[in-house]
């Protein structure tokens, strides 16, 4: 039977109460969360104190609601810098998604709307500005004949002279670029010393044993020796330099020296890091504190013993020490006599 509800009820849609994929616990938790006021805590610990189910079952039910869009957990940063998790509840997620899609489409239409074109009159005025009147000729002074004003003629740009037939034919026959080779000569690196020039020249001369196409002339080797020496100076091994030059060669190789110059300039390794400065010597730790056997004062020494004053006493300290040594036997006899009376 249906009875009249007192003020304080919650409207829950059938899409939730009759959901075929949600568990009964998830449906009940969703109805409970929708009945709470805004800002009420709905974390797992609070819900576990409210219902008899344990935390594991409540957490699984919340994950179900989150998967079907009835809950959303968002992390936000508070004013004091803390990160908190805010749980958002949706009583009809399908309607919320449809509304957000419509709003996004409307915003996109506003952004892409084209401004209306200017009026035709203003556009014609902008395209055909009023012709400017030529300035009136200045009057010549009295007694001098007036010169006729020069007629206004349209300025013509001088034409560029056509290339000569021989130059045009040479330019048309000149190849634009060779496939697989750079079009402009790169700036080759230079070493700081000449210590690696001999090894660099030998490396370049022996490249023809790897590939007959890599036969270099003496002039080309002389040009490529400094960049190869720069590679060796920066710690690259001869095998690494040979691999960088001969790996991935193009099929149609016409100028190997140009290709080597490009690779040596573009793939130059960084210089070796400088050695760190030597650390300052750590001062030795002070010796431990010892108790002097003579005066029972604290002093630093590697082993127990006497302090410096007791080892090298002054004349006054020596007399005092002798008196103390003379009194020691009497004190021992007195102590032994008192012990015998007991």
């Amino acid at each position: 039977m249906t009875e009249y509800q007192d003020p304080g009820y919650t409207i829950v849609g059938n899409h939730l109460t009759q959901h075929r994929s949600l568990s009964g616990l998830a449906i009940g938790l969703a109805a409970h969360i929708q009945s709470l006021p805004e800002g009420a805590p709905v974390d797992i610990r609070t819900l576990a104190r409210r219902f008899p189910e344990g935390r594991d079952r409540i957490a699984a039910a919340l994950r179900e609601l989150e998967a079907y869009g009835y809950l959303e957990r968002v992390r936000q940063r508070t004013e004091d810098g803390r990160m908190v998790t805010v749980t958002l509840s949706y009583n009809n997620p399908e309607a919320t998604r449809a509304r957000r899609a419509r709003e996004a489409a409307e915003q996109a239409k506003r952004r892409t709307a084209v401004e209306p074109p200017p009026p035709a009159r203003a556009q014609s005025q902008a395209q055909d500005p009023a012709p400017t009147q030529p300035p009136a000729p200045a009057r010549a002074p009295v007694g001098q004949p007036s010169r006729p004003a020069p007629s206004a003629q349209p300025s013509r740009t001088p034409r560029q002279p056509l290339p000569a037939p021989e130059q045009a034919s040479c330019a048309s026959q000149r190849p634009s670029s060779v496939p697989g080779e750079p079009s402009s000569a790169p700036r080759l690196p230079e070493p700081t010393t000449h210590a690696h020039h001999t090894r660099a020249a030998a490396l370049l001369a022996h490249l023809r044993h790897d590939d007959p196409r890599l036969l270099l002339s003496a002039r080309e080797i002389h040009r490529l020796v400094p960049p190869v020496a720069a590679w060796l100076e920066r710690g690259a091994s001869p095998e690494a330099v040979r691999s960088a030059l001969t790996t991935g060669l193009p099929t149609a190789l016409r100028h190997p020296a140009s290709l080597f110059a490009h690779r040596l300039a573009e793939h130059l390794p960084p210089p070796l890091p400088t050695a760190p400065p030597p650390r300052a010597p750590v001062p030795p730790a002070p010796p431990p504190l010892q108790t002097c056997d003579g005066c029972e004062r604290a002093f630093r020494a590697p082993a127990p013993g006497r302090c410096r004053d007791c080892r090298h006493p002054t004349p006054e300290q020596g007399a005092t020490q002798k008196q103390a040594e003379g009194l020691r036997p009497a004190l021992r006899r007195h102590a032994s006599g008192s012990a015998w009376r007991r």
Side-chain angles (χ1 to χ4, degrees), residues 252-302:
L253 182 63
R254 296 178 56 186
H255 301 284
S258 301
L259 179 61
F260 290 166
H262 174 75
R263 291 187 175 185
L264 291 172
E266 294 296 330
H267 304 290
L268 180 66
L272 294 175
T274 58
R279 296 183 178 180
V282 181
L289 290 173
Q290 308 290 347
T291 301
C292 179
D293 296 340
C295 61
E296 297 185 353
R297 288 191 304 176
F299 71 102
R300 292 189 178 275

Side-chain angles (χ1 to χ4, degrees), residues 136-150:
R139 294 183 179 180
V142 180
Q144 295 183 3
S146 61
R147 297 180 181 179

Side-chain angles (χ1 to χ4, degrees), residues 33 39-40 42-43 62 70-74 85-90:
I33 292 173
V42 290
D43 56 295
L62 293 179
Y70 287 95
L71 287 184
E72 183 182 5
R73 299 175 184 178
V74 182
T85 301
V86 179
T87 303
L88 304 177
S89 174
Y90 299 94

Side-chain angles (χ1 to χ4, degrees), residues 163-174:
E166 297 181 358
Q167 296 179 358
S169 61
C170 293
S172 61
Q173 295 177 4
R174 186 181 305 165

Side-chain angles (χ1 to χ4, degrees), residues 196 199-200 203 227-238 241:
H196 303 282
R199 297 171 59 195
L203 189 150
V228 174
W231 278 57
L232 299 175
E233 186 181 53
R234 297 192 174 198
S237 62
V241 178

Side-chain angles (χ1 to χ4, degrees), residues 90-120:
Y90 299 94
N91 60 352
N92 194 347
E94 294 293 338
T96 303
R97 283 194 289 267
R99 178 178 55 81
R100 289 179 176 177
R102 290 194 304 270
E103 293 176 355
E106 292 176 0
Q107 292 180 1
K109 288 181 179 179
R110 295 193 197 99
R111 287 195 299 265
T112 57
V114 181
E115 296 181 0

Side-chain angles (χ1 to χ4, degrees), residues 65-225:
L65 296 175
E66 191 174 2
Y68 286 97
Y70 287 95
L71 287 184
E72 183 182 5
R73 299 175 184 178
V74 182
R75 288 191 176 184
Q76 295 181 357
R77 186 180 297 276
T78 59
E79 295 180 356
D80 55 354
R82 295 183 300 107
M83 293 296 296
V84 296
T85 301
V86 179
T87 303
L88 304 177
S89 174
Y90 299 94
N91 60 352
N92 194 347
E94 294 293 338
T96 303
R97 283 194 289 267
R99 178 178 55 81
R100 289 179 176 177
R102 290 194 304 270
E103 293 176 355
E106 292 176 0
Q107 292 180 1
K109 288 181 179 179
R110 295 193 197 99
R111 287 195 299 265
T112 57
V114 181
E115 296 181 0
R121 181 178 180 182
Q123 187 175 3
S124 61
Q125 290 180 359
Q127 292 179 357
D128 301 330
T132 56
Q133 297 293 335
R139 294 183 179 180
V142 180
Q144 295 183 3
S146 61
R147 297 180 181 179
S151 60
Q153 297 180 356
S155 60
R156 298 180 180 179
T157 56
R159 296 181 179 180
Q160 298 292 338
L162 297 176
E166 297 181 358
Q167 296 179 358
S169 61
C170 293
S172 61
Q173 295 177 4
R174 186 181 305 165
S176 59
S177 61
V178 180
E181 297 182 4
S183 59
S184 60
R187 183 178 181 181
L188 299 179
E190 293 288 339
T192 57
T193 62
H194 296 273
H196 303 282
H197 278 56
T198 303
R199 297 171 59 195
L203 189 150
L204 292 170
H206 285 81
L207 289 179
R208 56 186 174 181
H209 298 299
D210 300 338
D211 193 335
R213 299 177 299 170
L214 305 182
L215 178 61
L216 303 175
S217 64
R219 179 178 298 178
E220 293 172 342
I221 292 178
H222 180 74
R223 174 170 171 260
L224 296 177
V225 161

Side-chain angles (χ1 to χ4, degrees), residues 290 292-295 297 299-314 317 321:
Q290 308 290 347
C292 179
D293 296 340
C295 61
R297 288 191 304 176
F299 71 102
R300 292 189 178 275
R306 292 176 175 268
C307 63
R308 181 179 57 182
D309 295 339
C310 294
R311 290 195 308 268
H312 307 286
T314 59
Q317 293 177 349
Q321 186 175 1

